[in-house]
Amino acid sequence: MLNVPSQSFPAVGSQQRVAPSGQSRNKVALKPGHSLMDWIRLTKSGRDMTGLRGRLIDVTEEELRKHNKRNDCWTCIRGMVYNVTAYMDFHPGGEDELMRAAGIDGTDLFDQVHRWVNYESMLKECLVGRMATKVSAVIKAQSKKDEEKPQVNGLAPPPSPAPPPFPSAALPPPKDTRPRYDWFQTDTTVNIVVYTKRKIPAAGSAVVDLINGALRIEVVLGKMSYLLHWRLPQEVEEHVSIHTASAVGKIQVVLWKKAKAKWSELGEQLDAHDTFERQKDREICYRKCVLLAKTDVTHDTKLFCLQLPPGTHMHVPVGRHVYLRASVQDSEVVKPYTPVDHTLLPDCSATAGDGAHRLFLMIKVYPNGVLSSHLDSLSIGDSLAVSSPEGPFSLRLLRGITQLYLLAAGTGFTPMARLVHAALTDLPTLRKTQLMFFNRQERDILWHSLLDQLAAKDPRFEVEYVLSEPSDSWTGRRGRVQTSMLTDLLVRPEGSKCLVCVCGPTAFTELAVGLVKDLGFSDEEIHAFQG
């Protein structure tokens, strides 16, 4: 993952920028024969991807800067230098985006867009070598800094005294907003309590992993992440329990001791323990999940049910996604997917805890899709790695909403599925939720019958289907998203507060967001899910 100039990346209006105002992350249409699988095949072909015939070298900054052209492009990622010339035509963001890191250290640029991608696996055949450390440059910089200090009789003057502090009455101490934790125990349990110092959702703020005696608790608070991490001193049962007091911002994690013994401490502190930082700066955490079931939804889309490890408690908030990671032909492949509930309709057989121990993913299987084809080939009981929840969507966007409009195309329906359920069950101000669902043919419509059942059951929900390649017997709307369709849908009743959510392929999302804005909706009234 690439440390770099603070220039904006991707550039404003670029093909990869994501914004809550409705702009979606875009991809460039790749030439035939330039898919991810084609790149994997190329890296295994024996071709010299570096131009150094297998040698690894130490690269100076001067040498790195020389390789900044389209046909000779090197970049540095976390101290390692790669020749990405051959990757130009395979990069989903396009040549222009990759060239922004040409001849420089591109770590910060990369982290802003693709921090979840395993670049080491994808570019291992492109490795040129390590950046050379220039000790002399450090010494020169320090010497120059010393020379710039004013001299008095050949000696540097003593440091200026610090100004006296303001009286406490004039300047109150800053409010301490950093979370903290405490713990207590009984004969049978160990209880860790996190005080977040703010209101939090009833579920989804904390992810707990208890694996091989190591306990990891991550609490996500907006864009920030609070992490606790220990090696426990004694054995505990595999399962954990979480109790959340949302109004006061308290989260209690309960562990069950295997032996009735008093603990003198919680154990050895591990990496990043008791740290509070931006979530995007936190290393992505994966855990191994097991495939429990897969069922057909349509002719090319399946519902995958994954079982989380016994010691993991993870509830994915509405509108957030997870990354699936798998090894395909010795290359690591990662892709985001948005979980759905196992049904749109209320189900008495489901318990409140099911959502914290199982994941349901609705995935379209593409014939040439690297990861989707791999998932489809898995047998029940096989495993794959799943990340913690990611994504910028917050239920705060729904506060006070009276009219919720959803524009979805194909599998862009997946974030809408749980959003519909949350809106109908948890939004007291909601008057109407309307989904306009775009597909090619009728057989492509996901959960067609369930959507019809929900519309028949709840008068606040309406769904309309639009097909671009309908059969002669189709009586619904035809065509692609256009102004006339949205004019009929996006109305503003007097005294209403509206939100429009959009998700689908890049071209659809771009066009739909533009049309919605043309109809007078502001950036604050539009949310485009990352595609």
Side-chain angles (χ1 to χ4, degrees), residues 394-469:
S394 171
L395 287 176
R396 292 178 182 177
L397 290 172
L398 300 179
R399 286 181 182 174
I401 292 297
T402 61
Q403 316 293 130
L404 179 61
Y405 299 112
L406 309 175
L407 305 177
T411 51
F413 166 72
T414 54
M416 309 302 187
R418 295 184 65 205
L419 188 56
V420 166
H421 186 269
L424 295 178
T425 56
D426 299 327
L427 274 188
T429 59
L430 185 70
R431 301 173 194 165
K432 185 71 70 175
T433 294
Q434 293 176 273
L435 168 66
M436 185 168 280
F437 196 0
F438 296 80
N439 287 278
R440 293 177 60 191
Q441 300 175 1
E442 189 171 1
R443 67 174 186 161
D444 298 319
I445 300 175
L446 303 173
W447 278 353
H448 193 169
S449 62
L450 290 177
L451 287 168
D452 289 344
Q453 289 179 53
L454 184 61
K457 181 177 181 179
D458 195 323
R460 294 175 301 161
F461 176 70
E462 294 179 359
V463 58
E464 185 171 15
Y465 308 104
V466 183
L467 301 183
S468 60
E469 300 176 8

Side-chain angles (χ1 to χ4, degrees), residues 179-369:
R180 66 179 182 87
Y181 76 94
D182 199 354
W183 74 286
F184 65 92
Q185 61 182 312
T186 67
D187 287 342
T188 58
T189 65
V190 175
N191 302 264
I192 298 100
V193 184
V194 178
Y195 303 93
T196 67
K197 303 180 182 179
R198 67 210 76 192
K199 290 183 179 180
I200 56 176
S205 294
V207 177
V208 178
D209 290 289
L210 175 60
I211 300 175
N212 297 326
L215 176 66
R216 184 183 189 275
I217 303 172
E218 183 178 4
V219 180
V220 177
L221 304 167
K223 296 179 180 180
M224 302 298 291
S225 163
Y226 180 59
L227 182 66
L228 300 173
H229 201 190
W230 295 276
R231 172 75 59 189
L232 299 178
Q234 298 186 37
E235 290 187 348
V236 296
E237 302 293 341
E238 281 189 308
H239 66 284
V240 299
S241 178
I242 294 182
H243 305 286
T244 302
S246 55
V248 296
K250 186 176 76 172
I251 299 170
Q252 182 171 333
V253 178
V254 183
L255 311 175
W256 280 266
K257 299 175 180 177
K258 281 195 173 181
K260 293 184 178 180
K262 289 294 183 182
W263 291 16
S264 60
E265 59 180 6
L266 273 175
E268 174 192 356
Q269 296 180 2
L270 299 179
D271 293 344
H273 172 72
D274 197 18
T275 55
F276 189 46
E277 60 186 46
R278 294 181 301 177
Q279 186 187 22
K280 75 181 189 68
D281 295 333
R282 183 84 68 192
E283 182 178 357
I284 297 178
C285 177
Y286 288 87
R287 70 277 304 150
K288 185 182 291 186
C289 296
V290 174
L291 179 62
L292 283 185
K294 53 181 176 179
T295 55
D296 291 334
V297 178
T298 67
H299 65 102
D300 63 0
T301 302
K302 297 186 178 183
L303 187 67
F304 294 80
C305 177
L306 304 177
Q307 176 73 54
L308 275 68
T312 294
H313 190 290
M314 184 175 80
H315 179 94
V316 181
V318 172
R320 302 288 180 94
H321 58 266
V322 296
Y323 296 114
L324 299 189
R325 185 180 69 187
S327 179
V328 181
Q329 295 189 11
D330 297 325
S331 292
E332 187 175 274
V333 181
V334 182
K335 190 173 181 181
Y337 291 101
T338 303
V340 298
D341 294 323
H342 73 292
T343 178
L344 273 174
L345 305 176
D347 184 1
C348 298
S349 64
T351 65
D354 284 347
H357 300 291
R358 293 183 179 182
L359 283 179
F360 292 89
L361 301 170
M362 191 181 293
I363 298 174
K364 183 174 182 179
V365 179
Y366 294 91
N368 297 319

Side-chain angles (χ1 to χ4, degrees), residues 9-156:
F9 180 83
V12 176
S14 100
Q15 303 239 6
Q16 295 186 47
R17 181 168 289 273
V18 178
S21 64
Q23 297 174 352
S24 65
R25 178 178 64 86
N26 299 322
K27 298 181 180 180
V28 172
L30 298 175
K31 302 174 184 176
H34 289 79
S35 68
L36 175 57
M37 184 56 78
D38 292 315
W39 172 251
I40 292 174
R41 293 192 188 102
L42 179 60
T43 61
K44 297 181 182 301
S45 67
R47 172 178 165 182
D48 179 12
M49 312 291 283
T50 66
L52 299 176
R53 298 181 180 178
R55 291 184 300 121
L56 293 178
I57 63 174
D58 288 339
V59 183
T60 64
E61 291 182 7
E62 291 80 6
E63 181 65 25
L64 179 62
R65 283 196 291 268
K66 294 176 184 177
H67 303 272
N68 63 353
K69 302 178 179 61
R70 166 64 180 82
N71 59 354
D72 180 18
C73 182
W74 292 10
T75 190
C76 176
I77 311 176
R78 303 209 191 286
M80 306 304 288
V81 178
Y82 298 87
N83 184 343
V84 295
T85 308
Y87 186 57
M88 285 286 176
D89 291 335
F90 295 84
H91 185 230
E95 173 186 324
D96 291 344
E97 296 298 343
L98 201 56
M99 285 299 296
R100 289 184 172 275
I104 61 173
D105 181 343
T107 308
D108 286 347
L109 304 184
F110 184 88
D111 282 350
Q112 293 176 37
V113 182
H114 294 309
R115 80 182 186 96
W116 47 272
V117 172
N118 187 335
Y119 66 90
E120 293 168 307
S121 176
M122 290 186 63
L123 300 178
K124 59 186 176 183
E125 301 300 330
C126 302
L127 180 62
V128 171
R130 187 186 302 272
M131 281 297 295
T133 304
K134 296 179 62 176
V135 179
S136 59
V138 177
I139 295 174
K140 287 180 181 179
Q142 184 60 47
S143 299
K144 183 176 180 181
K145 185 176 180 181
D146 292 340
E147 290 171 1
E148 290 174 352
K149 293 181 180 179
Q151 302 291 309
V152 179
N153 294 328
L155 298 175

Side-chain angles (χ1 to χ4, degrees), residues 290-295 304-305 375-383:
V290 174
L291 179 62
L292 283 185
K294 53 181 176 179
T295 55
F304 294 80
C305 177
L375 296 175
D376 192 36
S377 71
L378 294 178
S379 300
I380 304 304
D382 287 347
S383 62

